[in-house]
Amino acid sequence: MESKNTLQEQAYQFIKTKIVNLGFKPGEFITDLQIAESLDISRTPVREAFRMLEREGLLVYEPKHGWKVYSLTLKDIHEIFEIKINLEAFLARKAANCTDDILRKKLEHTITEMRKAADAENVDAWVVLDQDLHKLIFIMADNQRALNYIENLNDQWNRLRVGFSARTGRITRSIIEHEKIVNAILSGNADEAEKETKDHLVLVRDELTSLLINMVLPYAKDGV
């Protein structure tokens, strides 16, 4: 018999994966019974998983209605990126001081693979490599709590990432921005690594905001 914690983790991972990959849509209501039946488990660990996901900003509880997948607003995007810009820039600065040869070679290899994905316009591969690259930078900065916090922020807007990356010209521009960040880190230039990271994330925020205002939110008044 599986422990309650194991069942809770199973429910948590199932629901979270569905949310970040749009298996559950923003604004959609889900029930503990629905999840319990899907996983063939009791409702108690599902309820505990719901509370965990609420703390992470992926679910919200509405009295008399139940649990709903959180819908991102423009204000949410600005808050997420305000934190990401400052925290990731700080971590890029720290990563520039990393002397671990294995991590440095992994970073160099990952940016090379990202260039290949960009040239081939392979959006799916690009998104995975983009996540790998930034995680490597955070590992090089040697701050696990910051890594956990940023991963949670990224989970909150992950549902928008693939569509945003697929926009005409975005990957082409982004690979150049990423190469500047990596070159600064590998050359040990902390000031430049910080600056290029800030510049990159400001551009991402501004382009994403423009996309939402002009093409998405007019048709999704309650958020995305």
Side-chain angles (χ1 to χ4, degrees):
M1 182 177 178
E2 291 185 271
S3 71
K4 186 170 72 171
N5 286 342
T6 300
L7 294 174
Q8 176 183 320
E9 179 65 20
Q10 181 184 353
Y12 167 82
Q13 292 296 343
F14 174 80
I15 302 163
K16 182 176 179 178
T17 298
K18 285 276 194 180
I19 292 173
V20 299
N21 293 305
L22 289 175
F24 293 140
K25 302 293 191 296
E28 179 178 347
F29 283 93
I30 59 177
T31 67
D32 54 3
L33 179 60
Q34 169 191 356
I35 304 301
E37 289 181 344
S38 295
L39 298 176
D40 193 24
I41 61 176
S42 72
R43 295 161 70 177
T44 299
V46 176
R47 291 169 186 156
E48 292 167 348
F50 280 175
R51 286 189 281 271
M52 290 172 63
L53 290 161
E54 181 183 34
R55 289 194 294 269
E56 293 182 7
L58 295 176
L59 285 179
V60 60
Y61 183 76
E62 292 191 357
K64 299 182 181 180
H65 295 286
W67 293 94
K68 184 174 74 171
V69 178
Y70 191 82
S71 298
L72 288 170
T73 64
L74 207 56
K75 183 175 184 294
D76 292 324
I77 294 296
H78 279 287
E79 287 179 353
I80 288 169
F81 274 86
E82 184 175 44
I83 298 168
K84 278 172 63 65
I85 288 166
N86 288 284
L87 185 51
E88 292 193 34
F90 165 72
L91 293 177
R93 165 177 281 278
K94 285 195 68 181
N97 296 318
C98 177
T99 57
D100 187 311
D101 286 338
I102 293 176
L103 291 176
R104 289 171 60 83
K105 286 177 182 176
K106 282 184 180 179
L107 188 68
E108 190 172 11
H109 172 74
T110 303
I111 194 65
T112 299
E113 293 302 306
M114 285 180 73
R115 166 57 74 178
K116 292 177 183 177
D119 291 343
E121 298 183 357
N122 187 336
V123 176
D124 290 339
W126 166 270
V127 170
V128 173
L129 288 163
D130 179 41
Q131 293 171 337
D132 290 346
L133 183 110
H134 286 285
K135 187 170 184 176
L136 267 172
I137 292 172
F138 306 150
I139 291 171
M140 291 171 74
D142 194 24
N143 190 320
Q144 185 61 46
R145 284 183 174 80
L147 169 59
N148 293 341
Y149 194 71
I150 291 171
E151 285 186 339
N152 173 244
L153 290 174
N154 287 339
D155 284 340
Q156 293 179 39
W157 80 285
N158 186 73
R159 65 188 74 160
L160 303 174
R161 292 178 76 172
V162 175
F164 175 68
S165 297
R167 291 188 69 210
T168 303
R170 180 58 219 162
I171 286 182
T172 301
R173 294 191 296 278
S174 193
I175 185 59
I176 296 171
E177 296 159 19
H178 282 82
E179 286 173 340
K180 288 179 179 179
I181 295 169
V182 170
N183 288 340
I185 290 172
L186 293 178
S187 66
N189 191 330
D191 288 343
E192 194 68 13
E194 180 179 23
K195 174 187 177 299
E196 294 297 344
T197 299
K198 281 187 176 180
D199 289 349
H200 163 63
L201 288 171
V202 166
L203 285 170
V204 171
R205 180 201 62 195
D206 291 350
E207 288 193 34
L208 179 60
T209 299
S210 176
L211 174 67
L212 291 173
I213 290 173
N214 295 304
M215 298 182 66
V216 179
L217 290 177
Y219 308 99
K221 299 293 186 182
D222 295 327
V224 291

